[in-house]
Amino acid sequence: MDQIRIPVGDTDALIDPFGRHVIYLRVSVTDRCDFRCVYCMSEDMTFLPKKDILTLEELDRVCTAFVSRGVRKLRLTGGEPLVRRNIMALVESLSRHLKAGTLDELTITTNGSQLSRFAGELYRHGVRRLNVSLDTRDTAKFKHITRWGDLAKVDDGIKAAQDAGLAVKINMVALKGVNELEIPEMLEWCHAQSMDLTLIETMPMGDIDGDRTDQYLPLSVVRANLLDRFTLEDIPYKTGGPARYVEVKETGGRLGFITPMTHNFCESCNRVRLTCTGTLYMCLGQDDAADLRAPLRASESDAPLLAAIDEAISRKPKGHDFIIDRRRNKPGVARHMSVTGG
Ligand code: SAM
């Protein structure tokens, strides 16, 4: 699917103060993860108590409310979405919106560790594409970055997904001095397996054990270096997300750039993010948020929930202002990426 449909002239549509249609909801279904990526979490994370977390039925209700207001794309993320107990029940239940034609895409972002188990079911429930986060092809480095991960298991998961008929896109966070020299190799590997590759700039979110200025690698530099080896042609391909794509002439594959730091894409932002506790973040890079759990739990009617969603959208900010700066020793936003799921 190349384009997400934007509801035009739909009075129920979610339109923010800057005229942007919100048609994409990303849902972090759990804050837990079976990896501890060095740029994402500290090794010793405190996770949320169960009572604070929305049940699968509650998550379904919120997603359905958004779909009723014109959201056309849902992405489940985390934490690691596939470690949430019984997550396939949510995927199955949400797939009714695909069947009804009220949703264009139900998709997932995963670290791939559990894909061997779930790929077939995801496909059966209407998922057609997914993103796998993978920062290196080197087994030892993979262990170092993820702390707890096993590359062979992720490779098996990717293969299972492709065998099940799912299109896989690899997301790679570009990390200075860690995987920057591997980017050409990753690109060739992905394209040889018919997978798109998207590179992501590291964002200053949450306290981690190291210093982010050591890891930050601007993609403008990566792109310039790639030009020594590859011919990159800008293409209008869009997936509803923030990546800008090029076609790599030598491989015939697509390469995306997500550049929140060097070139933000806020003017075309069409998304909001729900955490597993029902907090709605209207911008990944701002702390302002709306609590949807209270109105959700307050009434069996969706009216209070829908009112809270409208109120939240009316507060969607124009953009974020992430800075990675040695003089500012604090993260740009306090929460970790695992709260809002990237
Ligand atoms: N566990 C799933 C996964 O690994 O894809 C979903 C959640 S994970 C937080 C989503 C994405 O955010 C991953 O691609 C991860 O590499 C990325 N990520 C985490 N922290 C980040 C940061 N500070 N800056 C940029 N990307 C980050």
Side-chain angles (χ1 to χ4, degrees):
M1 184 189 49
D2 287 346
Q3 210 71 51
I4 300 282
R5 197 169 65 83
I6 294 179
V8 177
D10 180 348
T11 49
D12 264 355
L14 296 171
I15 301 175
D16 79 2
F18 304 95
R20 296 169 300 189
H21 283 77
V22 174
I23 53 166
Y24 182 2
L25 176 67
R26 304 176 64 115
V27 185
S28 176
V29 296
T30 176
D31 61 331
R32 288 165 198 261
C33 189
D34 52 348
F35 289 4
R36 287 289 178 280
C37 296
V38 288
Y39 54 82
C40 183
M41 292 186 178
S42 62
E43 185 152 25
D44 177 26
M45 294 285 289
T46 309
F47 292 111
L48 295 161
K50 200 167 163 213
K51 66 168 179 32
D52 291 348
I53 294 188
L54 298 189
T55 63
L56 295 176
E57 292 73 19
E58 287 173 328
L59 284 168
D60 183 284
R61 230 180 109 194
V62 180
C63 290
T64 300
F66 273 96
V67 170
S68 79
R69 298 300 309 279
V71 159
R72 305 291 308 180
K73 173 167 174 168
L74 290 175
R75 177 178 299 279
L76 305 185
T77 173
E80 172 47 42
L82 297 181
V83 303
R84 170 96 196 230
R85 227 166 79 142
N86 214 10
I87 186 65
M88 285 305 122
L90 178 64
V91 177
E92 179 172 14
S93 143
L94 291 174
S95 69
R96 71 187 185 282
H97 300 304
L98 292 170
K99 290 186 194 120
T102 46
L103 187 66
D104 291 329
E105 185 167 36
L106 175 58
T107 186
I108 182 165
T109 295
T110 173
N111 64 26
S113 68
Q114 311 294 317
L115 264 183
S116 298
R117 260 171 83 198
F118 292 121
E121 259 182 288
L122 286 168
Y123 189 87
R124 279 199 297 286
H125 298 323
V127 176
R128 291 292 175 266
R129 303 186 312 162
L130 47 80
N131 292 349
V132 175
S133 304
L134 180 64
D135 299 326
T136 177
R137 299 284 320 136
D138 179 285
T139 307
K141 213 181 277 181
F142 184 82
K143 189 95 208 161
H144 167 76
I145 294 174
T146 63
R147 292 193 183 107
W148 296 359
D150 174 359
L151 181 57
K153 231 171 134 184
V154 173
D155 280 347
D156 289 347
I158 292 172
K159 173 139 192 346
Q162 290 193 306
D163 289 348
L166 293 159
V168 178
K169 176 165 79 74
I170 300 295
N171 281 345
M172 176 185 194
V173 177
L175 300 163
K176 187 160 79 186
V178 178
N179 63 5
E180 64 178 302
L181 299 179
E182 273 188 67
I183 293 172
E185 180 192 330
M186 181 68 98
L187 188 152
E188 282 168 339
W189 179 78
C190 289
H191 290 178
Q193 335 262 324
S194 310
M195 297 187 291
D196 292 347
L197 170 67
T198 295
L199 301 172
I200 305 175
E201 283 174 343
T202 179
M203 290 166 255
M205 300 190 64
D207 274 321
I208 52 168
D209 297 328
D211 179 351
R212 285 189 193 278
T213 47
D214 292 342
Q215 302 173 342
Y216 174 55
L217 177 60
L219 288 185
S220 46
V221 172
V222 172
R223 188 175 169 141
N225 290 341
L226 283 173
L227 287 173
D228 291 342
R229 260 174 86 169
F230 299 102
T231 317
L232 310 180
E233 190 179 291
D234 288 323
I235 52 171
Y237 177 74
K238 282 263 168 232
T239 63
R244 292 184 169 82
Y245 282 90
V246 296
E247 187 182 303
V248 182
K249 285 290 161 201
E250 288 73 8
T251 60
R254 277 188 297 246
L255 172 66
F257 296 91
I258 299 187
T259 54
M261 308 302 297
T262 51
H263 179 183
N264 80 44
F265 30 74
C266 304
E267 69 285 354
S268 60
C269 183
N270 58 3
R271 56 205 159 271
V272 288
R273 295 173 158 84
L274 183 75
T275 72
C276 60
T277 57
T279 301
L280 189 74
Y281 284 94
M282 287 72 83
C283 171
L284 181 62
Q286 300 276 0
D287 285 322
D288 188 31
D291 174 31
L292 300 187
R293 188 177 59 190
L296 177 77
R297 290 185 174 169
S299 166
E300 277 181 17
S301 151
D302 283 340
L305 173 63
L306 290 166
I309 292 173
D310 281 333
E311 192 280 326
I313 299 302
S314 77
R315 278 193 279 135
K316 186 169 162 60
K318 191 164 182 199
H320 62 68
D321 34 37
F322 283 133
I323 307 172
I324 292 185
D325 180 346
R326 285 193 190 277
R327 284 161 301 174
R328 269 174 35 142
N329 216 2
K330 286 237 152 294
V333 293
R335 63 187 191 279
H336 288 91
M337 188 69 105
S338 53
V339 175
T340 31

